[in-house]
């Protein structure tokens, strides 16, 4: 199961990288978002995907699922959403100001 | 257990949140944010003395024991940086009072400034890798907003690069955390150090160390500084100087923490690589500093040089080298804020950042000119100013450890700094006075006080170095003996 998820993470990372390297702003935002999701999957895999019981005291079971990676990605997802929201707003303002969402055309304005 | 440790994080955070409510009342915002920063500086002095008397202070949040809960650890290194952060942010805040403008003040400048300080203080104090990431994000998100504040074209274009660079490096940070967690099963820095010392630092862990090095090098501007000159020259002066003084320094702090506490077993691989990166950074930063005629570009490339120089002290892993790095790090925070504030004032007065269009400011602004002269000499490392001690110790450390090439490049970089700073001084302050008092675009009213405060702080650091020597020596000893940190966390 872990191997399968790791391959999925690899695919997601390559999609994210491809999108980040493109020229349109919106694609870059999507790419960074997909990259973050891939990383979240990697974190949850890092604790092991055991199909054990919930980590509750007093339950007499042999295997537990590690709870820490889940707590970690909860935080990471929240941060990722916040940053994506900020970047989307910023891209919208940039589009309004420059009249384009093409990174190539953002260069070479009068200040550079 | 010491509850004082959490206050440098909670006070700016809480007051920042309160200030959002009083968005309209600018006087109140100014007073409250100044009070918050003064409080954190008092607390950091208290912390320094506690650590001096009783050793490293720890706080286990919620009473959960060390490897399971979240720990806050204050050693002398972080306490010294906390104090420097407070001094610098107070001066930048006072500068912002009279320069930032009503529009920015309405756009939640003060709350964001306090959140930035929250994130920086938290990064210095946390004893947990994931919380380091969280605090990094806190000050990064604040900096994303601060860098775009006002939203003119130039800012939008540059800030997009800054933000995307940081988003990707944060993703790499998380990848590193995931790898380290799957290998060691812990995220507490002290516990990580124990686990890695037990199983030995094999090739896999060294690779993860490189991953962390890439992430923090991006934040610190160690070789991967291509985003830095653009992003640090677009925001308003007060914001640019707090960025130059604090943001790269957090990356430097993280590299120091990781490579003295956790990944210190293979110095011939990891630390040598840091040394090579530092050498290239100093050379390229130096070339940038002497090549440009734009005031802001020259100053931002000086930020890059100093990052390389501080890293040279870490590479040595000798008491002299680490002591030098700590002295130079504190000096650099003060002096970078100072030169950025002076540079911003020059641009404010003349309306241009091109050195060829500026001349003879010293006739009308002698105080500004001489304070810049002191700052320039201090950056080069003329005794008895504050840069001298750090420079001597780092050079001594590199020579002791046998890294003669690194020490040599460090000294060469000082020449680059000297040339670039004297170029600014000769062109901007010396020569014929082209602008009369009426033709100037702005006044220095209210701007000289924070600059004078920082100059005094820098002079005190240089002349009063003896008073600080005990604290710095203790910080270096703690960095070189990871067992002190580990014992403090687990007792």
């Amino acid at each position: 199961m872990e191997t399968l998820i790791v391959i999925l993470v690899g695919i997601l990372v390559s999609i994210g990288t491809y999108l980040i390297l493109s020229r349109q702003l919106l694609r870059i935002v999507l790419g960074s978002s997909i990259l973050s999701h891939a990383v979240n999957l990697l974190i949850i895999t890092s604790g092991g995907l055991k199909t054990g019981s919930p980590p509750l005291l007093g339950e007499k079971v042999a295997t537990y699922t590690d709870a820490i990676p889940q707590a970690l990605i909860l935080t990471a997802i929240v941060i990722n959403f916040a940053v994506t929201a900020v970047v989307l707003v910023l891209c919208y303002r940039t589009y309004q100001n420059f009249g384009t969402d093409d990174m190539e055309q953002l260069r070479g304005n009068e200040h550079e | 257990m010491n509850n004082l440790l959490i206050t440098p994080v909670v006070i700016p955070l809480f007051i920042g949140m309160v200030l959002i409510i009083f968005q309209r009342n600018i006087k109140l915002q100014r007073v409250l944010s100044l009070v918050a920063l003064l409080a954190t500086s008092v607390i950091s002095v208290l912390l320094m003395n506690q650590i001096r008397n009783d050793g490293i202070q720890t706080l286990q949040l919620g009473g959960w024991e060390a490897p399971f809960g979240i720990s806050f650890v204050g050693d002398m290194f972080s306490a010294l940086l906390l104090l420097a952060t407070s001094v610098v942010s107070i001066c930048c805040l006072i500068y912002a009072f009279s320069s930032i403008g009503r529009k920015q003040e309405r756009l939640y400048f003060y709350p964001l400034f306090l959140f930035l300080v929250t994130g920086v203080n938290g990064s210095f104090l946390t004893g947990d890798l994931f919380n380091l990431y969280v605090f990094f994000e806190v000050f990064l998100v604040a900096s994303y907003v601060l860098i775009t504040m006002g939203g003119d074209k130039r800012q939008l274009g540059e800030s997009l690069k800054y933000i995307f660079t940081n988003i990707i490096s944060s993703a790499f940070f998380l990848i590193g955390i995931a790898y380290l967690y799957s290998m060691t099963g812990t995220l507490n820095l002290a516990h990580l150090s124990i686990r890695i010392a037990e199983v030995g630092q094999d090739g896999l862990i060294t690779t993860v160390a490189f991953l962390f090095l890439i992430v923090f090098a991006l934040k610190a501007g160690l070789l991967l500084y291509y985003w830095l000159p653009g992003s640090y020259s677009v925001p308003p002066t007060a914001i640019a100087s707090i960025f130059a003084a604090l943001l790269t320094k957090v990356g430097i702090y993280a590299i120091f923490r990781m490579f003295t506490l956790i990944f210190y077993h293979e110095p011939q691989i990891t630390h040598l690589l840091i040394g090579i990166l530092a050498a290239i950074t100093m050379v390229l930063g130096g070339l940038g500093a002497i090549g440009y005629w734009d005031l802001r570009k020259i100053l931002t490339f000086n930020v890059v040089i100093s990052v390389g120089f501080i890293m040279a002290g870490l590479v040595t892993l000798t008491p002299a080298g680490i002591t030098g790095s700590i002295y130079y790090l504190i000096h650099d925070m003060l002096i970078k804020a100072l030169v950025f504030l002076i540079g911003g004032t020059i641009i404010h007065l003349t309306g241009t950042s091109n050195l060829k269009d500026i001349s003879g400011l010293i006739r009308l602004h002698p105080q500004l000119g001489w304070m810049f002269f002191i700052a320039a000499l201090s950056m080069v490392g003329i005794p008895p100013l504050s840069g001298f001690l750090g420079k001597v110790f780092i050079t001594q450390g590199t020579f002791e450890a046998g890294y003669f090439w690194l020490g040599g490049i460090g000294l060469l970089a000082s020449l680059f700094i000297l040339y670039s700073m004297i170029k600014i001084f000769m062109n901007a302050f010396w020569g014929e006075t082209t602008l009369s008092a009426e033709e100037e675009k702005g006044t220095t009213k209210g701007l000289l006080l924070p600059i004078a405060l920082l100059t005094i702080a820098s002079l005190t650091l240089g002349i009063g170095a003896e008073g600080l020597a005990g604290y710095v020596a203790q910080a270096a000893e703690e960095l070189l003996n990871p067992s002190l940190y580990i014992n403090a966390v687990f007792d």
Side-chain angles (χ1 to χ4, degrees):
Chain A
M1 190 64 187
E2 273 89 353
T3 325
L4 212 65
I5 298 283
V6 167
I7 293 169
L8 176 66
V9 168
I11 294 170
L12 284 176
V13 168
S14 40
I15 294 173
T17 314
Y18 174 75
L19 284 174
I20 286 170
L21 292 175
S22 60
R23 279 161 48 174
Q24 268 180 307
L25 279 177
L26 204 56
R27 279 166 167 258
I28 300 176
V29 179
L30 278 177
S32 66
S33 189
I34 288 176
L35 186 66
S36 313
H37 286 307
V39 172
N40 290 339
L41 273 178
L42 186 68
I43 293 180
I44 205 151
T45 322
S46 72
L49 297 168
K50 292 178 216 87
T51 44
S53 314
L56 295 174
L57 287 178
E59 302 271 317
K60 290 191 177 65
V61 282
T63 54
Y64 291 112
T65 309
D66 192 351
I68 288 186
Q70 306 187 8
L72 298 185
I73 67 161
L74 192 61
T75 316
I77 288 172
V78 172
I79 292 174
N80 176 30
F81 277 157
V83 172
T84 309
V86 170
V87 175
L88 278 174
V89 172
L90 187 69
C91 288
Y92 181 60
R93 271 301 294 276
T94 315
Y95 173 71
Q96 276 186 325
N97 264 6
F98 285 82
T100 175
D101 68 338
D102 190 331
M103 278 304 254
E104 283 293 314
Q105 290 172 19
L106 290 184
R107 299 184 59 158
N109 59 58
E110 69 266 38
H111 299 292
E112 281 188 53
Chain B
M1 295 289 260
N2 184 349
N3 283 321
L4 211 57
L5 273 177
I6 193 81
T7 45
V9 181
V10 171
I11 292 175
L13 180 70
F14 181 71
I15 299 214
M17 291 195 298
V18 170
L19 289 187
I20 293 180
I21 304 169
F22 299 108
Q23 186 221 349
R24 299 264 153 213
N25 193 340
I26 288 179
K27 269 225 176 80
L28 184 73
Q29 292 206 40
R30 288 178 176 178
V31 173
L32 271 184
S33 44
L34 194 60
V35 167
L37 292 176
L38 282 173
T40 53
S41 64
V42 171
I43 287 163
S44 52
V45 172
L46 284 178
L47 267 178
M48 267 169 67
N49 287 320
Q50 280 186 357
I51 296 166
R52 183 111 170 94
N53 296 328
D54 311 329
I56 298 173
Q57 301 290 313
T58 56
L59 171 66
Q60 314 293 350
L61 292 189
W64 295 89
E65 286 304 312
F68 308 111
I70 294 168
S71 340
F72 265 56
V73 186
D75 66 347
M76 190 54 91
F77 186 44
S78 25
L80 284 170
L81 291 180
L82 271 184
L83 181 60
T85 304
S86 315
V87 172
V88 166
S89 48
I90 287 171
C91 294
C92 290
L93 190 76
I94 298 175
Y95 190 90
F97 287 165
S98 42
S99 74
I100 199 84
R102 269 297 141 105
K103 191 180 150 211
Q104 258 86 348
E105 286 183 315
R106 285 269 165 80
L107 286 172
Y108 303 100
F109 169 74
Y110 296 114
L112 286 165
F113 192 92
L114 288 177
F115 292 152
L116 185 86
V117 175
T118 308
V120 172
N121 285 350
S123 316
F124 289 152
L125 286 174
T126 184
D128 179 293
L129 198 54
F130 195 79
N131 282 292
L132 187 65
Y133 162 77
V134 173
F135 282 119
F136 261 74
E137 288 301 318
V138 169
F139 77 73
L140 281 175
V141 173
S143 77
Y144 296 160
V145 186
L146 283 173
I147 200 172
T148 48
M149 188 168 261
D152 54 279
K153 269 191 162 185
R154 215 162 84 97
Q155 281 180 316
L156 289 173
E158 286 296 341
S159 60
L160 275 175
K161 287 174 219 162
Y162 173 76
I163 294 176
F164 285 130
T165 312
N166 277 308
I167 287 178
I168 293 166
S169 82
S170 294
F172 277 107
F173 195 170
L174 280 176
I175 293 175
I177 289 175
Y179 284 156
L180 212 51
Y181 185 73
S182 67
M183 277 189 276
T184 61
T186 180
L187 287 172
N188 189 299
L189 291 179
H191 204 207
L192 273 173
S193 179
I194 295 177
R195 286 268 169 98
I196 290 180
E198 276 171 2
V199 298
Q201 187 177 339
D202 57 359
L204 216 53
I205 291 179
T206 308
T207 315
V208 176
F210 284 154
L211 192 62
F212 279 107
L213 182 62
I214 293 171
V215 172
F216 296 134
L218 255 172
K219 314 265 187 206
L222 178 69
L223 188 64
L224 306 170
Y225 63 79
Y226 52 88
W227 53 271
L228 197 147
S231 350
Y232 281 19
S233 52
V234 287
T237 306
I239 298 174
S241 31
I242 195 92
F243 277 19
L246 295 187
L247 293 197
T248 54
K249 306 304 178 290
V250 187
I252 294 174
Y253 166 81
I255 295 181
F256 264 82
R257 188 56 84 212
M258 298 299 278
F259 285 88
T260 55
L261 181 63
I262 300 174
F263 304 119
Y264 59 91
H265 302 284
E266 297 277 351
Q268 69 277 24
I269 303 173
T270 47
H271 289 65
L272 183 67
L273 182 79
I274 298 178
I276 295 168
L277 293 182
I280 303 173
T281 311
M282 281 190 276
V283 172
L284 293 180
L287 291 179
I290 58 177
Y292 278 100
W293 280 90
D294 185 289
L295 186 55
R296 293 191 158 177
K297 284 267 165 63
I298 296 174
L299 294 180
T300 45
F301 273 106
N302 272 308
V303 174
V304 174
I305 302 176
S306 65
V307 172
F309 197 69
I310 294 166
M311 281 304 146
L314 170 67
V315 176
T316 63
L317 278 184
T318 56
I322 299 277
T323 312
S325 284
I326 297 166
Y327 267 122
Y328 203 80
L329 189 54
I330 300 167
H331 145 81
D332 200 57
M333 288 169 89
L334 298 175
I335 215 79
K336 282 289 139 50
L338 176 58
V339 291
F340 265 74
L341 288 183
I342 297 179
T345 311
I346 295 174
I347 295 168
H348 179 66
L349 287 173
T350 58
T352 173
S353 64
N354 190 341
L355 278 180
K356 287 179 176 160
D357 301 340
I358 309 172
S359 180
L361 283 178
I362 202 154
R363 200 145 306 167
L364 289 169
H365 306 282
Q367 301 97 337
L368 195 67
W370 291 118
M371 282 192 279
F372 183 82
F373 189 66
I374 293 173
L377 291 186
S378 179
M379 270 171 80
V380 182
I382 307 284
L385 297 166
S386 58
F388 171 67
L389 268 176
K391 207 148 259 186
V392 168
F393 278 124
I394 290 179
T395 314
Q396 189 194 339
T398 49
F399 285 176
E400 270 175 13
Y403 291 104
F404 293 103
W405 49 278
L406 193 58
I409 292 175
L411 294 176
L412 186 74
S414 304
L415 283 182
F416 286 149
I417 299 177
L418 178 68
Y419 178 78
S420 63
M421 294 314 276
I422 292 302
K423 182 161 87 177
I424 297 179
F425 187 72
M426 293 304 283
N427 282 288
F429 290 106
W430 230 238
E432 286 294 309
T433 307
T434 48
L435 286 173
S436 67
E438 294 82 47
E439 286 169 335
E440 283 178 349
K441 306 283 190 293
T443 61
T444 54
K445 193 165 157 275
L447 301 184
L448 282 179
L449 174 69
I451 297 176
L453 284 178
L454 273 175
T455 314
I456 292 166
S458 159
L459 282 175
T460 330
L461 185 62
I463 295 163
E466 212 179 322
L468 203 67
Y471 295 96
V472 175
Q474 190 187 349
E477 193 201 335
E478 285 166 359
L479 282 181
L480 284 167
N481 286 327
S483 56
L484 289 174
Y485 189 97
I486 295 165
N487 290 339
V489 174
F490 283 104
D491 277 345

